[in-house]
């Protein structure tokens, strides 16, 4: 016969009463049962929801379910060393993690413990992992660009500092690659910013439920490129228990808020939130919370909304800091209408939709330009970029529509033919290899060339070669022009447009 936790509680309470130890029960408890990373604890009468508790041997846990007769505790670590009857102590603090500049360049777990073997971290402060997001008053509208260095993203789906842009797609479609390129792209900007903290962008990458080898490769890439100096990696890999995977995104956000709240800028990548939702579902089911749609608990929307709301652009009175979020969601068979994808789509300010089919056609990054949007739009672009990028999305949309029709007939009028030609070249132009982000000015020139017909006479298969040539031509011969475009933050028209045209004509003569 199985004995209910409630019955055991009642018996224990009775016995303790006889010994007159009731006061102590408020601060300590005893493990009634333990398993699957969850402990049921008797006592801890004064414990708060979300409070950190300690098991013997220093194993930590978080009180989540406060019930009449017992407390449900999730365990951050292995539950193997915890036995029935062990004492559990309150710590009187809500789960918090180390934060501060000391974490830059480090790889830590969801509780802020170092994983990289570079010694202990003497963090200057601790911040509560799960805090309330800034309200409406401190915020300001998003208006500064967060350049990813990817042509397809910066031109068509611009991301601003303080924005939340979802990266969504099936497995192996280059989701991590987009986020990683965005991190690597900050290197040149951060180097150029020097000591100007108001320009720099710090990056926090959170790995949830991934293979350790994948995370190790990413860290290696960050180290090789020097990007690790302005980054923090928080890893809760697949081998970690569910509570750690649940906590890691919150902990990492607290580390990022250190920058946001001190008038600095940070970018946080959650890779990926589907796995966090799965770990939360596991925890909730084990805590016997009622399952809802797809067996997720009813508050799974709140799990992601309270996390992503913490990304914000703060106003003048609050230091002008920002936290930009790039959450990642993995879909199954391209189904964006499943529960978790629709939730996160509705929370974010837009999505970058990556498609398997495009990926295998060689269109990489495999951005579906029709389904991808940024609800912040051109206010997140520099003036130069927004003045040249407008026609691209339209041309590509028209091209997709026409291309479907054109398959059926060969009798096409001149204007349709022209549209197809332009579209094919622009599609080709949007391709970009990994780890080769371009500067804002370079993207402006490339897009300008594409939309002003400089490529119309170039063979589709030569577009890549043409672009590489153009970039090295611009870098070696037109450094002033590039500086002009990026420095002055002015529109591409009149004199500036003429200068770009002159440079492109100059290059056209040399290309064969
Ligand atoms: P997972 O679902 O496993 O996390 P993912 O969607 O994050 O996958 P990535 O790991 O970023 O995808 O990329 C998958 C593969 O595609 C990698 O081998 C990566 O090197 C390659 N890849 C990604 N982007 C590009 C690109 N622009 N050009 C060439 N190869 C790319
Ligand atoms: Mg990935």
């Amino acid at each position: 016969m199985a004995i209910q936790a409630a019955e055991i509680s009642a018996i224990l309470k009775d016995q303790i009463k006889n010994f007159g130890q009731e006061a102590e029960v408020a601060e300590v408890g005893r493990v009634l049962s333990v398993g699957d990373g969850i402990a049921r604890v008797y006592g801890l009468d004064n414990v708060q929801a979300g409070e950190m508790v300690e098991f013997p041997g220093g194993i930590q846990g978080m009180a989540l379910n406060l019930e009449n007769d017992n407390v449900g505790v999730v365990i951050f670590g292995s539950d193997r060393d915890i036995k029935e009857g062990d004492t559990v102590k309150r710590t009187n603090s809500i789960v918090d993690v180390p934060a501060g500049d000391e974490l830059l360049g480090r790889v830590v777990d969801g509780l802020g413990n170092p994983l990289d073997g570079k010694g202990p971290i003497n963090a200057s402060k601790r911040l509560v992992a799960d805090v309330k997001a800034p309200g409406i008053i401190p915020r300001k509208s998003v208006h500064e660009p967060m350049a990813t260095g990817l042509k397809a993203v910066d031109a068509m789906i611009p991301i601003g500092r303080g924005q939340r842009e979802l990266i969504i797609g099936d497995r192996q479609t280059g989701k991590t690659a987009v986020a990683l390129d965005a991190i690597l792209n900050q290197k040149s900007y951060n180097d150029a910013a020097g000591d100007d903290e108001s320009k720099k962008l710090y990056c926090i990458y959170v790995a949830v439920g991934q293979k350790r080898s994948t995370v190790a490769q990413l860290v290696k890439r960050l180290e090789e490129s020097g990007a690790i100096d302005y980054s923090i990696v928080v890893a809760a890999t697949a081998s970690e228990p569910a509570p750690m995977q649940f906590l890691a995104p919150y902990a990492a956000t607290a580390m990022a808020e250190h920058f946001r709240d001190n008038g600095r800028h940070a970018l946080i990548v959650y890779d990926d939130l589907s796995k966090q939702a799965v770990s939360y579902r596991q925890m909730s089911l084990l805590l016997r919370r009622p399952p809802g749609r797809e067996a997720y608990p009813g508050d799974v929307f709140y799990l992601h909304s309270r996390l992503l709301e913490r990304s914000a652009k703060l106003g003048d009175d609050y230091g002008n800091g920002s936290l930009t979020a790039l959450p990642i969601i993995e879909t199954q068979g391209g189904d964006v209408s499943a529960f978790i994808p629709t939730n996160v789509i509705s929370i974010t300010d837009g999505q970058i939709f990556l498609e398997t089919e495009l990926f295998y056609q060689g269109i990489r990054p495999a951005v579906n330009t029709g389904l991808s949007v940024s609800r912040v739009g051109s206010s997140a672009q520099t003036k130069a970029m927004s003045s040249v990028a407008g026609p691209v999305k339209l041309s590509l949309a028209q091209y997709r529509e026409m291309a479907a029709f054109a398959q059926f007939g060969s009798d096409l009028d001149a204007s349709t033919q022209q549209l197809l030609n332009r579209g094919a070249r622009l599609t080709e132009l949007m391709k970009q290899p990994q780890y080769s982000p371009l500067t804002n000015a370079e993207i402006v020139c490339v897009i300008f060339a594409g939309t002003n017909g400089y490529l119309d006479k170039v063979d589709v298969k030569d577009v890549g070669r043409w672009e590489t040539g153009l970039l090295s031509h611009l870098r070696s011969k037109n450094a002033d022009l590039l500086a002009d475009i990026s420095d002055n933050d002015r529109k591409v028209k009149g004199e500036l447009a003429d200068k770009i045209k002159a440079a492109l004509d100059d290059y056209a003569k040399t290309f064969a």
Side-chain angles (χ1 to χ4, degrees), residues 286-489:
L286 289 166
L287 284 166
R288 305 224 161 264
R289 292 180 178 183
R293 182 172 163 191
E294 289 179 26
Y296 287 105
D299 64 344
V300 72
F301 185 92
Y302 184 51
L303 172 82
H304 291 148
S305 62
R306 73 176 191 265
L307 177 70
L308 292 167
E309 277 292 298
R310 291 162 71 181
S311 300
K313 168 71 200 167
L314 298 184
D316 304 328
D317 299 345
Y318 297 83
N320 268 317
S322 76
L323 176 59
T324 312
L326 290 177
I328 295 180
I329 285 283
E330 184 184 299
T331 51
Q332 311 289 330
D335 181 13
V336 285
S337 60
F339 188 28
I340 301 298
T342 45
N343 279 355
V344 184
I345 286 173
S346 76
I347 296 165
T348 49
D349 308 303
Q351 69 272 352
I352 298 173
F353 186 45
L354 302 173
E355 251 181 8
T356 314
E357 198 177 313
L358 296 174
F359 190 84
Y360 287 116
Q361 280 170 17
I363 302 175
R364 299 176 191 178
V367 178
N368 177 323
T369 46
L371 292 178
S372 303
V373 291
S374 162
R375 284 187 266 275
V376 170
S378 55
S379 48
Q381 283 174 320
T382 61
K383 288 204 184 86
M385 182 72 84
S386 64
S387 59
V388 299
V392 183
K393 213 169 176 186
L394 185 66
S395 299
L396 285 174
Q398 288 175 330
Y399 167 64
R400 268 194 317 275
E401 210 160 273
M402 285 301 173
F405 269 117
Q407 287 176 343
F408 299 115
S410 55
D411 260 358
L412 297 170
D413 59 276
S415 72
T416 313
Q417 196 63 55
Q418 154 73 7
L419 214 127
L420 288 175
N421 273 341
R422 181 68 62 83
R425 282 161 186 79
L426 281 178
T427 308
E428 197 64 27
L429 200 59
M430 287 299 158
K431 291 183 183 174
Q432 191 168 342
Q434 242 183 314
Y435 317 127
S436 50
L438 300 180
T439 66
N440 197 52
E442 287 165 351
I443 299 179
V444 169
C445 292
V446 170
I447 303 281
F448 185 87
T451 51
N452 283 281
Y454 282 87
L455 276 164
D456 292 355
K457 297 260 154 23
V458 178
D459 259 1
V460 172
K461 66 171 180 3
D462 287 335
V463 169
R465 193 164 60 87
W466 184 91
E467 190 204 347
T468 322
L470 172 67
L471 289 172
S472 60
H473 178 90
L474 289 174
R475 283 172 195 151
S476 61
K477 300 218 168 68
N478 295 91
D480 296 348
L481 175 64
L482 292 177
D484 250 12
I485 299 173
S486 52
D487 264 11
N488 300 338
D489 193 26

Side-chain angles (χ1 to χ4, degrees), residues 170-177 330 359 364-365 432-434:
D170 282 358
R171 51 176 297 276
Q172 290 291 307
T173 47
K175 302 184 295 298
T176 306
E330 184 184 299
F359 190 84
R364 299 176 191 178
Q432 191 168 342
Q434 242 183 314

